[in-house]
Amino acid sequence: MIKFNKYRSSKSLPPVSTASLPDIVFILLFFFMTVTVMKNQNLLVENTLPTATETEKLDKKDRVIEIYVGKPTSEAKTNLGDEPKIQMDNKFITVDEVGDYALQALSSMPQHLRSVATVSIKADVGVKMGIIEDLKSQLRMVNLLKINYTTYEGAVTDNL
Amino acid sequence: MKNHRSPQEVNAGSMADIAFLLLIFFLVTTSIENDTGLNRSLPPDVSDNIVDIKEKNLFEISINNADKIMAEDDIVDSKNLRDKVIAFIDNGGISNGNEAFCAHCKGNRLANSSENPDKAIISIKTQRNSSYPVYVSVQNEVIGAYNFLRNRESLRLFNTTYETIYSDYYNDEISEDQKKILKERLEVIRALYPQKILEPETVNN
């Protein structure tokens, strides 16, 4: 012990070099830049997706119409209650408006993509089938028949 | 005097802070997007959809308000559902010699189950209070059953799985000629096991 103290006092250790710290942080930064995408919507609803194993990759982003379903999040539910709501275009809409908004999204797409447009239903695990059925019948009415139940990859037993 | 002094080192200590700021900016403005899911097509919105289906060709799956799954008048576990659906689609109950005979089927050929995969129809019924994850699970199992059978036939005929053909077909790096072949193969397999999933309107009772 005495020997050690003697050693330290006589010859202080060189400081740890932090020169490589920026490199490490830059690697992290590039990782996040590659795996993430810019948010185009602010989520107003809770959105934990169910899991499934037989999933297919969703089409390219330019031909997908997204519909979120879930309970309003704690920031958004000032006076909206607990019932699941539908979110499209950054705002809450009622079931009857789904067709109109979907057609609006469709018309903003380039002509050649309209026939391959897919509706991605991103519904929370807490949602009941009633609202999903209403949504589906609305989509049938405007003839948007390609739908995708967006899920996470995982065993279905996690759903139960 | 000046020439003897070694060049002063630039202090790079704040570089890490700058990189951290950038990193935090990206963490806040981006999200990890989830882009996988179960693809389905809805039936078109026409009212004259009365079709004549024999009862033995229909496999009814119902999910009640308490999230219990019933298939063919029996409560089933979601684990056994896929095997039941496979057995039903692959049954091939019509007798040998008939023109609708299913030569590639490996099922039990029971008289009270589906005649051939082309006639076999799966119906998924839900109630308004059934929960969505359970419905997704059921959809997943049904699609899984079809994928299993399609993979089996694809391995037998073309020595690759259906999934590889499918993902190759949507791969941009593949030439047009090859895509043509892949498309033909997809159509052959889809004709052997066409996906027929019915979703009747919810009934309130």
Side-chain angles (χ1 to χ4, degrees):
Chain A
M1 204 61 188
I2 298 161
K3 223 178 174 181
F4 178 70
N5 275 343
K6 224 176 173 181
Y7 169 77
R8 275 194 69 157
S9 57
S10 64
K11 213 181 183 184
S12 67
L13 278 169
V16 178
S17 165
T18 53
S20 55
L21 189 59
D23 302 344
I24 298 166
V25 180
F26 267 117
I27 290 172
L28 262 176
L29 176 66
F30 290 141
F31 169 74
F32 273 99
M33 281 173 77
T34 45
V35 298
T36 60
V37 288
M38 282 282 173
K39 269 182 205 166
N40 55 349
Q41 287 210 41
N42 234 341
L43 267 187
L44 301 171
V45 294
E46 284 176 21
N47 210 243
T48 316
L49 303 174
T51 53
T53 53
E54 310 293 326
T55 54
E56 291 165 35
K57 230 173 149 24
L58 200 53
D59 273 328
K60 294 188 190 75
K61 204 118 198 159
D62 55 359
R63 60 201 70 173
V64 171
I65 301 167
E66 286 173 320
I67 301 177
Y68 295 91
V69 189
K71 283 178 192 163
T73 50
S74 43
E75 300 104 71
K77 70 165 169 206
T78 42
N79 48 8
L80 292 163
D82 251 353
E83 280 302 296
K85 291 263 174 193
I86 299 168
Q87 182 195 348
M88 269 184 96
D89 265 359
N90 251 330
K91 56 178 174 284
F92 291 118
I93 57 171
T94 61
V95 175
D96 305 322
E97 290 171 329
V98 167
D100 299 339
Y101 275 88
L103 283 182
Q104 203 186 340
L106 192 69
S107 65
S108 67
M109 276 183 202
Q111 190 90 49
H112 64 283
L113 293 179
R114 287 183 197 167
S115 59
V116 289
T118 309
V119 179
S120 156
I121 298 179
K122 297 189 173 176
D124 186 70
V125 285
V127 168
K128 300 290 179 196
M129 276 314 288
I131 192 165
I132 304 285
E133 291 288 344
D134 296 344
L135 194 63
K136 273 157 63 181
S137 64
Q138 284 290 322
L139 291 174
R140 277 177 65 181
M141 258 187 247
V142 294
N143 215 29
L144 275 167
L145 302 176
K146 270 183 80 176
I147 57 168
N148 178 292
Y149 301 107
T150 309
T151 59
Y152 295 132
E153 293 263 4
V156 285
T157 42
D158 299 348
N159 288 335
L160 312 170
Chain B
M1 272 288 262
K2 234 179 183 178
N3 291 343
H4 292 293
R5 209 164 55 189
S6 59
Q8 213 184 354
E9 243 181 80
V10 178
N11 184 14
S14 54
M15 181 89 129
D17 302 344
I18 297 165
F20 264 121
L21 275 179
L22 269 173
L23 177 66
I24 289 163
F25 170 75
F26 268 94
L27 278 176
V28 171
T29 55
T30 62
S31 59
I32 299 179
E33 201 71 358
N34 187 59
D35 56 352
T36 56
L38 304 172
N39 279 335
R40 305 260 1 104
S41 327
L42 299 173
D45 189 26
V46 281
S47 47
D48 55 325
N49 46 7
I50 305 146
V51 242
D52 209 6
I53 307 169
K54 282 185 198 160
E55 211 201 317
K56 63 177 177 180
N57 281 330
L58 189 69
F59 189 87
E60 268 186 85
I61 305 170
S62 321
I63 310 166
N64 74 358
N65 286 334
D67 290 339
K68 286 268 184 294
I69 304 165
M70 183 177 91
E72 296 284 73
D73 304 322
D74 242 341
I75 294 175
V76 291
D77 205 350
S78 66
K79 291 186 198 89
N80 307 328
L81 186 61
R82 187 180 301 205
D83 293 334
K84 284 203 166 202
V85 175
I86 290 174
F88 166 76
I89 303 166
D90 208 26
N91 180 54
I94 215 158
S95 60
N96 200 345
N98 195 309
E99 61 174 301
F101 175 69
C102 169
H104 55 269
C105 293
K106 294 196 172 77
N108 294 326
R109 305 195 182 274
L110 302 171
N112 61 354
S113 191
S114 78
E115 290 177 340
N116 67 34
D118 195 37
K119 291 229 173 90
I121 290 168
I122 316 273
S123 137
I124 303 173
K125 244 187 222 170
T126 56
Q127 286 181 310
R128 285 200 76 86
N129 267 331
S130 319
S131 64
Y132 176 66
V134 177
Y135 171 75
V136 168
S137 307
V138 169
Q139 286 271 8
N140 184 60
E141 293 308 296
V142 173
I143 295 169
Y146 275 108
N147 283 349
F148 169 82
L149 293 168
R150 285 173 170 183
N151 270 338
R152 196 188 72 196
E153 287 312 301
S154 174
L155 278 173
R156 184 172 69 87
L157 295 171
F158 311 118
N159 247 330
T160 46
T161 59
Y162 174 74
E163 280 141 13
T164 353
I165 301 179
Y166 187 83
S167 60
D168 280 350
Y169 179 64
Y170 285 100
N171 190 343
D172 291 334
E173 286 155 26
I174 284 198
S175 70
E176 286 299 311
D177 295 342
Q178 274 178 304
K179 274 198 179 177
K180 231 177 201 173
I181 302 169
L182 291 175
K183 192 176 185 188
E184 272 169 28
R185 291 184 172 183
L186 279 181
E187 273 165 9
V188 168
I189 298 162
R190 280 181 189 159
L192 289 179
Y193 287 107
Q195 253 182 33
K196 298 199 171 174
I197 305 174
L198 260 183
E199 287 175 50
E201 299 277 301
T202 320
V203 265
N204 274 326
N205 46 8

